[in-house]
Amino acid sequence: MAYKREHVKERFRPKPGKLLDQVREVMRYHHYAIRTEQTYTKWILDYIRFNGTRHPQEMGKPEIERFLSHLAVNRNVAASTQNQALNAILFLYKFVLDMPLNDYIDAIRSKKQKRLPTVLNLSEVSQLFQHISGTHELMAKLLYGAGLRLMECIRLRVKDIDFENHHIIVRDGKSEKDRATVLPKTLQEDLRFHLKGVQKLFEQELAEGRADVYLPQALAKKYPGAGKSLIWQWVFPAKNRSKDPRTQKVRRHHAHETGLQKAVANAAKKAGIHKRVSPHTLRHSFATHMLEAGKDIRRVQELLGHADVRTTMIYTHVMSVNFETLGSPLDNLDSI
């Protein structure tokens, strides 16, 4: 069974203590994202509970295979979810317990279902935007206009917006890759106005001695004063300050993704769009409409940040087709 190859080189030995605390310590040492940390600890806990709360040191290949097969057969998880669970367990054995598993994991695999993405037509996109307003409207238009993923939009920083060159730099996208994508001309005025508000809030907190923003640990060490500079501030800051779950520092984080998710879902409902619409639907629509406009598929691949053009090709299956012109053989029976 295939799994993601980890890029951690050196062995870090955590302090003695509870297993999950050790997992968190190792992941933080190697600068894993907090969402990855939360996901991995969840899967490790599920694995332990499934095997009767036995310590992982007492288990190995057979228990892992039974757990992964259980996910596929009884919980019917997607192939990507099953691989995610495997990655978490392999990380535990290799980097926390120092018991790397060299044997092939022969579990029942989840079937990788091929489903076409939900895409809105131009009219539906326009209707959707008529029922969403304020900052959420700006964010939704960025998802559609630049082909951003939800968290890529949420995590934008002021320095990532390049008005002069009409592009956005996406930092640490999927697979921790950076890329450039288009900055829609029609959004630039609204975005400039929005950033003036961000600057005003930042200057107010700076004067109060409260201006600080989260930076990855390596950057925080390299640029110790960067957290108190405008360019590193979030484009979409949260309304309130909150406690960092890792450092316990109280500061203003970026907006939470659930706000935009709810705003998009409510807008689709009000617009009478009878499709399952989420923020990611806007990214799907961006890709499809770019291809329909005749843009080169390789360029669209780069804008989306796809590693393989075959991922981008799925949008060719949902491009608009004039079915009225195409017709059906049933329509020809009347002429016989």
Side-chain angles (χ1 to χ4, degrees), residues 184-197:
K185 294 179 181 179
T186 55
L187 273 189
Q188 293 192 21
E189 183 178 348
D190 289 342
L191 193 52
R192 286 182 188 274
F193 180 79
H194 172 79
L195 289 178
K196 287 181 180 178

Side-chain angles (χ1 to χ4, degrees), residues 34-148:
I34 189 156
R35 289 175 183 273
T36 306
E37 176 186 310
Q38 292 167 345
T39 301
Y40 273 30
T41 52
K42 171 191 171 297
W43 282 122
I44 291 169
L45 186 58
D46 283 357
Y47 164 64
I48 293 172
R49 286 173 173 169
F50 176 79
N51 287 288
T53 67
R54 293 163 59 197
H55 196 284
Q57 287 180 328
E58 303 172 3
M59 301 185 286
K61 183 175 182 290
E63 288 81 7
I64 295 173
E65 290 177 345
R66 283 198 294 270
F67 174 64
L68 295 172
S69 297
H70 160 72
L71 295 180
V73 177
N74 300 322
R75 290 179 54 178
N76 196 31
V77 302
S80 58
T81 303
Q82 189 185 38
N83 281 332
Q84 186 184 69
L86 175 60
N87 289 331
I89 295 169
L90 292 176
F91 179 91
L92 168 69
Y93 279 97
K94 184 174 183 180
F95 299 114
V96 181
L97 301 177
D98 197 19
M99 297 171 57
L101 298 165
N102 298 318
D103 296 331
Y104 179 79
I105 303 300
D106 188 21
I108 297 175
R109 301 188 184 187
S110 297
K111 293 182 179 179
K112 191 172 183 179
Q113 298 176 331
K114 293 184 179 180
R115 292 180 176 174
L116 295 179
T118 299
V119 173
L120 304 179
N121 58 43
L122 291 173
S123 176
E124 289 171 329
V125 172
S126 179
Q127 292 171 34
L128 181 78
F129 290 152
Q130 290 175 21
H131 291 86
I132 192 170
S133 60
T135 303
H136 287 147
E137 179 186 6
L138 180 60
M139 296 167 79
K141 286 183 175 179
L142 273 175
L143 296 180
Y144 173 68
L148 300 179

Side-chain angles (χ1 to χ4, degrees), residues 140-269:
K141 286 183 175 179
L142 273 175
L143 296 180
Y144 173 68
L148 300 179
R149 298 179 177 92
L150 172 61
M151 294 310 299
E152 291 173 348
C153 176
I154 295 286
R155 291 172 177 162
L156 283 175
R157 298 183 190 256
V158 173
K159 67 181 184 61
D160 299 328
I161 309 296
D162 190 335
F163 290 101
E164 184 175 347
N165 294 303
H166 309 287
H167 70 240
I168 298 171
I169 301 296
V170 178
R171 307 285 181 183
D172 289 328
K174 197 170 184 179
S175 300
E176 300 180 350
K177 294 180 180 178
D178 293 356
R179 74 177 191 279
T181 187
V182 61
L183 172 60
K185 294 179 181 179
T186 55
L187 273 189
Q188 293 192 21
E189 183 178 348
D190 289 342
L191 193 52
R192 286 182 188 274
F193 180 79
H194 172 79
L195 289 178
K196 287 181 180 178
V198 172
Q199 182 175 358
K200 183 178 179 180
L201 176 63
F202 164 72
E203 291 174 347
Q204 178 182 335
E205 295 196 328
L206 186 64
E208 297 171 351
R210 302 193 302 167
D212 188 22
V213 70
Y214 166 78
L215 292 177
Q217 190 173 355
L219 283 174
K221 289 182 178 179
K222 188 175 182 180
Y223 307 109
K228 296 181 180 180
S229 62
L230 176 63
I231 63 171
W232 286 96
Q233 303 304 307
W234 305 111
V235 172
F236 301 108
K239 291 182 179 179
N240 301 308
R241 297 162 61 82
S242 59
K243 185 181 290 187
D244 189 309
R246 287 179 168 177
T247 65
Q248 303 303 307
K249 287 184 178 180
V250 177
R251 54 184 156 203
R252 193 176 300 276
H253 203 46
H254 57 62
H256 200 276
E257 65 273 17
T258 54
L260 182 55
Q261 289 170 332
K262 291 177 181 178
V264 169
N266 290 336
K269 186 176 180 180

Side-chain angles (χ1 to χ4, degrees), residues 268-283:
K269 186 176 180 180
K270 291 178 181 178
I273 300 173
H274 302 300
K275 296 178 180 178
R276 187 178 180 182
V277 181
S278 71
H280 209 66
T281 306
L282 294 171
R283 173 176 159 89

